[in-house]
């Protein structure tokens, strides 16, 4: 059951959105998918990986994605991230290119972004599961209520950087409080990266604001993979 997988620090935060009834409905939907021989990504024990690595009291930055990668072996419960050993997807390659142009950080030779999460970067998708090889196949099945509750709770925090790439993520911008920093641009996918993602400098802007408001910043370098 999904209720058993939801990390304990987030349960009281999500309130009614993560009620037993809502999670049961999602659990039943996923069970129905599997009963009809559909492969669902990510694996069950990775669905809430972003929440496991970044508890609510540690969130400093939110990078909002759409739904998980839908090809074999890619999805691991963190937006834009793939497990070590999996080929780096085109969108993440473009993120690495912008990171290099922005902060001079050379592209990593892997796509595993957990090192960011452990510093308070919540890599959240708006939908947390997907049917194999069918993008957006689990939209409007109940995940949006959960992730909206997560974002609403983060909106209550003193000051957070929201990085919103692409139109679906930017739909949340209008409800974000003025005390936060909102960075918006085109999505890093090959189809749209040249329409405003490249040159947007989100990483340096994020760190400048964090230094000014909290006296800290994110180390965006990705070294050896662990966990």
């Amino acid at each position: 059951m999904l209720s058993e997988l939801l990390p304990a620090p987030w349960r009281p935060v999500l309130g009614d959105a993560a009620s037993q009834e809502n999670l049961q409905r999602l659990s039943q939907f996923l069970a129905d998918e599997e009963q009809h021989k559909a492969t669902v990504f990510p694996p069950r024990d990775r669905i809430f990986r972003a929440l496991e690595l970044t508890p609510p009291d540690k969130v400093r930055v939110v990078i909002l994605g759409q739904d998980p990668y839908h090809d074999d072996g890619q999805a691991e419960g963190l937006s834009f991230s793939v497990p070590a050993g999996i080929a780096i997807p085109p969108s993440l390659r473009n993120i690495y290119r912008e990171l290099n142009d922005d902060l001079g950080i050379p592209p990593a030779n892997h796509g595993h972004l957990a090192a960011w999460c452990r510093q308070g970067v919540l890599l959240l998708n708006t939908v947390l599961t997907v049917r194999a090889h069918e993008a957006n196949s689990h939209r409007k099945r109940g995940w949006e209520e959960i992730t909206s509750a997560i974002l609403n709770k983060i909106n209550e925090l003193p000051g957070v950087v929201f990085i919103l790439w692409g139109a679906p993520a930017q739909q949340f911008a209008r409800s974000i409080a003025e005390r936060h920093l909102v960075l918006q641009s085109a999505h890093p996918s090959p189809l749209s990266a040249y329409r405003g993602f490249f040159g947007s400098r989100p990483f340096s802007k994020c760190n400048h604001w964090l230094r000014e408001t909290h006296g800290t910043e994110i180390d965006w370098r990705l070294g050896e993979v662990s966990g």
Side-chain angles (χ1 to χ4, degrees):
M1 293 293 292
L2 289 175
S3 57
E4 298 169 357
L5 298 175
L6 186 65
W10 285 96
R11 292 176 190 172
V13 166
L14 299 184
D16 292 341
S19 68
Q20 192 72 17
E21 181 181 355
N22 282 358
L23 291 175
Q24 276 185 339
R25 191 180 306 116
L26 273 166
S27 295
Q28 185 60 55
F29 166 69
L30 296 178
D32 291 344
E33 287 280 82
E34 293 165 356
Q35 186 175 358
H36 289 88
K37 309 302 181 185
T39 300
V40 174
F41 296 138
R44 284 289 183 107
D45 63 351
R46 293 275 158 161
I47 289 175
F48 294 120
R49 186 64 172 154
L51 304 184
E52 292 173 8
L53 293 181
T54 313
D57 62 335
K58 301 298 184 184
V59 176
R60 294 193 286 165
V61 180
V62 178
I63 298 181
L64 190 60
Q66 298 178 36
D67 64 342
Y69 293 122
H70 55 81
D71 284 338
D72 296 338
Q74 292 182 316
E76 60 171 348
L78 310 173
S79 63
F80 298 102
S81 180
V82 294
I86 297 296
I88 300 172
S91 291
L92 184 53
R93 287 192 179 278
N94 286 339
I95 291 170
Y96 284 173
R97 174 178 165 180
E98 179 62 20
L99 179 60
N100 188 24
D101 291 345
D102 189 3
L103 292 177
I105 296 174
N109 62 3
H110 61 85
H112 187 57
L113 306 180
W116 294 354
C117 302
R118 295 190 177 92
Q119 298 178 71
V121 180
L122 181 65
L123 296 177
L124 184 69
N125 283 312
T126 54
V127 174
L128 301 188
T129 59
V130 68
R131 191 182 304 141
H133 316 301
E134 296 185 39
N136 296 317
S137 51
H138 286 184
R139 288 182 61 197
K140 299 183 179 179
R141 295 291 185 171
W143 281 124
E144 290 87 350
E145 287 80 359
I146 304 292
T147 53
S148 291
I150 293 169
L151 293 169
N152 288 338
K153 185 59 183 180
I154 295 169
N155 200 24
E156 297 175 5
L157 297 175
V160 173
V161 181
F162 288 84
I163 299 178
L164 308 178
W165 290 327
Q170 291 167 14
Q171 292 177 4
F172 291 90
R174 64 178 68 95
S175 61
I176 296 173
E178 292 184 0
R179 63 180 172 275
H180 305 298
L181 175 66
V182 180
L183 300 175
Q184 304 183 65
S185 75
H187 194 274
S189 74
L191 293 174
S192 57
Y194 287 94
R195 301 175 189 167
F197 174 75
F198 289 135
S200 60
R201 305 182 67 85
F203 306 100
S204 61
K205 290 176 181 176
C206 171
N207 275 357
H208 175 77
W209 190 86
L210 288 175
R211 285 194 302 270
E212 291 293 312
T213 56
H214 300 297
T216 62
E217 61 181 39
I218 303 298
D219 182 356
W220 296 103
R221 294 172 296 178
L222 294 165
E224 296 296 320
V225 175
S226 60

